Amino acid sequence: MTVQRQAGSEPGYSLEHAVTTSCDREPIQRPDAIQPHGLLLIADIASLTVLGGAGDIEGRLTPDWLGRNLASILDVPTGRFEDARHVSLSDLRISGLAGETFSVVCHAQDTHFLVELEPIESHTLLTWDIFGEIDRTADRFERCPDIASVCRHGATIFQRVTGFDRVLVYRFMEDGTGRVVGESRNDTFPSLMNHHFPASDIPTQARALYVRNRIRVIPDITYEAAPIRPSDAGLAGLNLSDVQLRSVSPIHLQYMANMGVRASASVSLVVDGVLWGLIACHNSSPKPLPEDIRAACRTLAGVMSRQLRNKEELVTYQERLRLRNAMESVTSHFDVRRPLENNLRSCINELQALFPCNGFAVISDETISATGVLPDTKSLHQLHDWLRAGNHGGIFSSALLGRDYSPAADWPERCAGLLAITLPLRTPICLLWSRVEIIQTIEWAGNPHKDDADSDGILRPRTSFRTWEQTIRGHSTRWTGEQKQAARRLRRVLIADDQTQQLRELNATLAATLEEREDLLRQKDFLIREVNHRVQNSLQMVASFLKLQARSASNDDTTTALKEAQHRIAAIGLVHRRLYRDEHVGVVDLGRYIEELMEELCTSLGEGWHDQMHLSLFPIMIAADRAINIGLILTELIINTSKYAYSGHAGPLYVGLAQAGTRLVLTVSDQGECTPQLKGTGFGTRMMNAVVSSLAGTLTYTTLNPGLEAVMTLPLDSLLPTETQPRPRDTSSQTPYPYP
């Protein structure tokens, strides 16, 4: 397994010094040295003066290099270095002193240019054969049905392209450990397929470098590092993260030597910016990897990474679609007329099939409905109490339940993994999916639990990679991210269903209450009809008696009084009829009421009054009992006008109704020649004064010459229904209600 760790930056850095350093703190990106098969020039970014370098620069490039201008050494125009962010010298080839040809790669870093020079073969780079291989590889990856087949084909293709003895596809697991998921090899090395490697084999800073620098090559692990010089140039601790020639950690070199590896190459598999795994290439003898092959490997790794992402997304999509369809199938069987708990218990088999499991249970405070392999009833109730007391956001999942809930360690054969949904209903309910333990035998490349420190406390690279088997117990199959998300969605759906059920029950209760209220209103309406009918009959009977009495009376005054009484009773009866017809019981439109009252009075007063009556009425809603009083007053005024102004004959008569601020104004005026009766003492006059006084109003008379005008003003507050009294409104600009 190729795991690249680079040496530290201290002077004289060696294996003896490196082994005392914690792997995760080893400064592998600052080794102060390079691998000697190439050269390194370090120049000031502003002046392009070469400040230092590494490798046999004098013997392979030029003896006079320190202090010279970088552009002159490389024989390129100075203008190519003007924009430090976009310096590209990949097309440049430099001839060396011993007939070598170097490729050039430039890195801009803070205040320095780092220029790598690596010897290349004389043949043409990036041949059509390599382009064809890339195209065929992309097509083959596209046809792979799953991730495992992509990894197997990837190992085969990379071995064919690089020519290394063994190529491994190494995947990082969720816990940081690694596992070989693809392999292609010859007989030089043993198989490591499906072997696991501890997370400590590739420390954190090394993984970060694998993302930043996608391919790393060690042509020969027995090299002697070429330090950066001169030592007094102030270049110690320079960051060489982007430098391909960066020297490798002595611990890693010894690690590979212990594996029997002489040369290695590592190509990163990065999916969505995250290190998914590595293509690890091993060779038993020194082996360089030319620049064109490295470029092809970088491209092939990109193609493979995209296919890995596509396959993972496909698996995720298919699983998500299956879960969504299964969830919809379960909820479609729910009976909306039954409580949610009853629906859950009746669909227990469908719910169990939602997630792959060995047992399923619906648990409330006192009742358990279960199927499959599960702990006993007492243990389930205790587990239910523990889940309700926990702070899991309603969803709990574990593939090692004995670690999270200690009592579960006693029954892994019944429940080692758990996915639980807690529902905060009126009666709290838990849904449990249980998985039994899967006894696994894991093959490690060496004992992962063996302390790498000797008895003297010094950390050293692993010396044994013999297959070491470990039996894992207490674990179940892992719950996938899609299954956890589906559980969250199911919880939201079930809570929404319960809320809908509660709302449905409330609506049913409200509907019953409304129906009961409607029944009461219908009964009230019936009673009102009956009362109105009886009142109308009574008033009609009284009017008939008065009419008969008037016919039989021999005295004219008595006859007149009886007819006036008939008119007063007609006014009261009209209010009752309007009260029954109007939509708002107890409220009458005074304008419409006066219009109908005048119609009846004109009929009873005799021929000619319909043509002489002129109305201007403003619509206003008042209490029915107040309308009766106003109707009596208006009736009395009309009778007086007929009697005194026109001596019983028809004459011009004006009736007006208006609102002035906060008061109602009723006007009755005529054009008669008779002497007005302003201060009568009869029954009608006393009745009008009493009624006006009870309404807190005023009644005034004005002589018109000819004619008389009677004006009654009443405060609106005393006329409106108590519960519907609006704020007074200004109606001075409104048009009076027209009489058709």
Side-chain angles (χ1 to χ4, degrees):
M1 172 65 208
T2 301
V3 183
Q4 299 182 11
R5 303 176 184 164
Q6 285 69 24
S9 61
E10 295 80 353
Y13 194 80
S14 63
L15 176 62
E16 285 72 20
H17 184 277
V19 295
T20 64
T21 306
S22 173
C23 288
D24 285 331
R25 292 185 289 109
E26 187 181 1
I28 58 177
Q29 74 276 18
R30 304 175 187 273
D32 288 344
I34 66 170
Q35 298 180 58
H37 64 277
L39 306 176
L40 177 66
L41 296 176
I42 306 172
D44 180 74
I45 203 168
S47 64
L48 298 182
T49 301
V50 177
L51 306 176
D56 186 13
I57 303 174
E58 294 85 354
R60 301 174 64 184
L61 183 62
T62 175
D64 182 19
W65 60 274
L66 190 61
R68 283 183 58 187
N69 184 274
L70 179 63
S72 65
I73 294 178
L74 300 179
D75 193 21
V76 296
T78 306
R80 296 194 65 171
F81 296 94
E82 287 182 356
D83 189 349
R85 297 169 301 173
H86 299 98
V87 175
S88 177
L89 302 175
S90 59
D91 59 332
L92 186 63
R93 300 293 179 264
I94 300 297
S95 298
L97 296 178
E100 290 182 296
T101 300
F102 295 95
S103 64
V104 182
V105 179
C106 185
H107 312 280
Q109 182 188 109
D110 298 331
T111 60
H112 298 96
F113 276 128
L114 307 181
V115 180
E116 295 184 76
L117 293 91
E118 187 175 359
I120 60 175
E121 301 292 336
S122 58
H123 63 78
T124 304
L125 299 176
L126 298 175
T127 64
W128 289 109
D129 290 339
I130 294 179
F131 276 122
E133 186 65 47
I134 293 173
D135 186 60
R136 289 190 297 272
T137 299
D139 182 66
R140 183 170 299 178
F141 282 154
E142 184 74 27
R143 297 174 182 275
C144 289
D146 52 30
I147 292 175
S149 58
V150 171
C151 294
R152 288 195 301 270
H153 284 296
T156 301
I157 291 166
F158 273 90
Q159 187 190 24
R160 184 168 63 248
V161 171
T162 62
F164 277 73
D165 293 328
R166 181 174 63 190
V167 173
L168 307 175
V169 178
Y170 179 91
R171 180 176 185 177
F172 292 104
M173 312 305 288
E174 290 184 350
D175 58 359
T177 61
R179 178 170 174 259
V180 178
V181 293
E183 181 183 58
S184 180
R185 63 184 179 88
N186 54 31
D187 295 335
T188 305
F189 287 106
S191 174
L192 291 177
M193 185 65 183
N194 295 321
H195 279 56
H196 290 68
F197 289 79
S200 59
D201 276 12
I202 306 181
T204 303
Q205 74 276 32
R207 301 187 190 207
L209 284 176
Y210 279 126
V211 175
R212 182 171 180 173
N213 203 331
R214 302 294 175 89
I215 185 168
R216 292 283 286 121
V217 179
I218 307 175
D220 189 350
I221 69 169
T222 62
Y223 73 85
E224 182 177 349
I228 295 177
R229 51 194 175 90
S231 58
D232 58 353
L235 300 176
L238 193 66
N239 190 341
L240 301 182
S241 296
D242 297 322
V243 176
Q244 291 282 337
L245 297 172
R246 181 182 68 247
S247 185
V248 183
S249 165
I251 292 180
H252 176 61
L253 295 177
Q254 186 61 51
Y255 182 95
M256 287 197 299
N258 294 343
M259 292 183 72
V261 175
R262 184 71 180 272
S264 73
S266 299
V267 186
S268 303
L269 294 173
V270 179
V271 176
D272 293 330
V274 178
L275 187 63
W276 186 94
L278 295 172
I279 304 293
C281 308
H282 299 156
N283 212 64
S284 60
S285 60
K287 183 175 181 60
L289 200 63
E291 183 183 21
D292 55 347
I293 303 299
R294 293 206 303 270
C297 289
R298 192 180 293 109
T299 303
L300 289 173
V303 172
M304 184 174 175
S305 297
R306 286 188 291 273
Q307 286 302 319
L308 289 172
R309 180 186 60 190
N310 292 342
K311 304 307 180 188
E312 287 185 337
E313 289 179 350
L314 178 60
V315 171
T316 299
Y317 171 76
Q318 291 174 338
E319 177 68 3
R320 192 173 299 165
L321 183 62
R322 184 195 70 80
L323 289 170
R324 187 178 298 276
N325 291 338
M327 190 185 308
E328 291 179 355
S329 176
V330 170
T331 55
S332 66
H333 288 84
F334 286 0
D335 186 347
V336 296
R337 297 166 298 182
R338 302 176 61 194
L340 177 61
E341 181 176 354
N342 293 353
N343 283 324
L344 293 174
R345 298 188 188 280
S346 63
C347 296
I348 189 170
N349 294 325
E350 291 82 356
L351 286 168
Q352 181 186 15
L354 187 60
F355 304 115
C357 63
N358 302 107
F360 174 76
V362 179
I363 307 177
S364 60
D365 288 336
E366 298 181 358
T367 307
I368 295 180
S369 298
T371 181
V373 180
L374 287 165
D376 57 67
T377 300
K378 180 180 179 181
S379 298
L380 285 176
H381 277 302
Q382 293 173 345
L383 180 58
H384 176 216
D385 295 338
W386 177 78
L387 289 170
R388 288 180 56 188
N391 184 20
H392 309 298
I395 299 293
F396 173 79
S397 64
S398 175
L400 183 57
L401 185 59
R403 176 192 58 194
D404 303 307
Y405 178 63
S406 56
D410 296 332
W411 24 266
E413 73 285 354
R414 286 177 287 167
C415 182
L418 182 70
L419 177 62
I421 298 177
T422 304
L423 299 175
L425 310 182
R426 288 169 291 186
T427 300
I429 296 175
C430 276
L431 307 181
L432 306 182
W433 287 265
S434 171
R435 289 176 176 173
V436 300
E437 70 171 341
I438 302 296
I439 302 176
Q440 295 177 287
T441 300
I442 298 179
E443 294 181 334
W444 294 88
N447 186 350
H449 307 295
K450 183 179 182 296
D451 191 354
D452 290 332
D454 291 340
S455 58
D456 56 4
I458 297 177
L459 182 68
R460 301 184 183 278
R462 285 203 290 138
T463 59
S464 174
F465 294 89
R466 295 180 58 187
T467 298
W468 188 88
E469 293 184 350
Q470 179 185 17
T471 300
I472 304 296
R473 304 204 59 167
H475 290 255
S476 73
T477 307
R478 185 178 63 88
W479 303 96
T480 66
E482 288 69 38
Q483 291 169 348
K484 297 174 187 177
Q485 291 179 8
R488 293 187 182 92
R489 287 196 301 270
L490 178 60
R491 182 175 186 269
R492 290 194 297 268
V493 168
L494 294 178
I495 291 176
D497 281 352
D498 181 69
Q499 293 172 345
T500 302
Q501 178 69 24
Q502 293 184 43
L503 183 61
R504 190 178 295 110
E505 293 175 0
L506 290 175
N507 286 337
T509 303
L510 179 60
T513 303
L514 291 176
E515 182 63 27
E516 183 179 352
R517 180 177 179 272
E518 290 296 328
D519 289 340
L520 293 175
L521 289 176
R522 284 191 289 268
Q523 294 177 19
K524 181 179 179 181
D525 184 61
F526 174 78
L527 293 175
I528 290 176
R529 286 172 180 268
E530 184 65 22
V531 169
N532 178 73
H533 178 70
R534 294 188 180 187
V535 169
Q536 290 293 330
N537 287 342
S538 299
L539 291 174
Q540 187 176 1
M541 184 178 297
V542 172
S544 298
F545 288 155
L546 291 174
K547 187 175 181 180
L548 290 174
Q549 189 68 33
R551 289 179 180 177
S552 60
S554 58
N555 188 306
D556 292 340
D557 292 338
T558 301
T559 301
T560 301
L562 291 174
K563 289 183 177 179
E564 292 174 358
Q566 291 180 49
H567 294 320
R568 294 172 185 132
I569 291 174
I572 296 173
L574 179 62
V575 172
H576 273 276
R577 289 197 298 274
R578 288 208 55 80
L579 179 64
Y580 175 71
R581 292 201 307 266
D582 283 350
E583 179 181 355
H584 302 286
V585 177
V587 179
V588 173
D589 182 349
L590 184 59
R592 294 294 301 274
Y593 166 63
I594 291 176
E595 181 183 344
E596 294 182 6
L597 179 60
M598 292 300 98
E599 181 73 20
E600 291 197 6
L601 281 175
C602 287
T603 301
S604 62
L605 289 174
E607 296 292 335
W609 279 104
H610 284 95
D611 297 332
Q612 298 294 338
M613 188 74 67
H614 302 283
L615 305 177
S616 178
L617 306 174
F618 182 80
I620 182 170
M621 306 298 292
I622 67 171
D625 57 341
R626 303 294 191 273
I628 293 176
N629 293 335
I630 295 174
L632 290 174
I633 294 172
L634 181 58
T635 301
E636 204 64 35
L637 290 173
I638 299 300
I639 292 173
N640 288 342
T641 298
S642 172
K643 182 189 300 185
Y644 299 113
Y646 300 114
S647 300
H649 301 289
L653 182 63
Y654 169 80
V655 178
L657 178 67
Q659 180 180 340
T662 61
R663 301 185 70 81
L664 181 143
V665 180
L666 178 65
T667 304
V668 178
S669 63
D670 61 72
Q671 300 177 14
E673 299 294 340
C674 300
T675 303
Q677 303 295 319
L678 302 179
K679 298 182 180 179
T681 59
F683 172 77
T685 301
R686 293 197 305 274
M687 181 198 70
M688 284 194 298
N689 292 336
V691 172
V692 171
S693 177
S694 68
L695 297 176
T698 61
L699 179 61
T700 60
Y701 296 92
T702 304
T703 303
L704 299 178
N705 293 321
L708 182 71
E709 181 182 60
V711 178
M712 181 178 64
T713 62
L714 304 173
L716 284 174
D717 289 346
S718 65
L719 304 177
L720 300 176
T722 304
E723 66 275 11
T724 59
Q725 290 184 1
R727 295 180 60 184
R729 54 180 178 174
D730 184 7
T731 61
S732 57
S733 61
Q734 299 187 26
T735 304
Y737 182 84
Y739 179 69

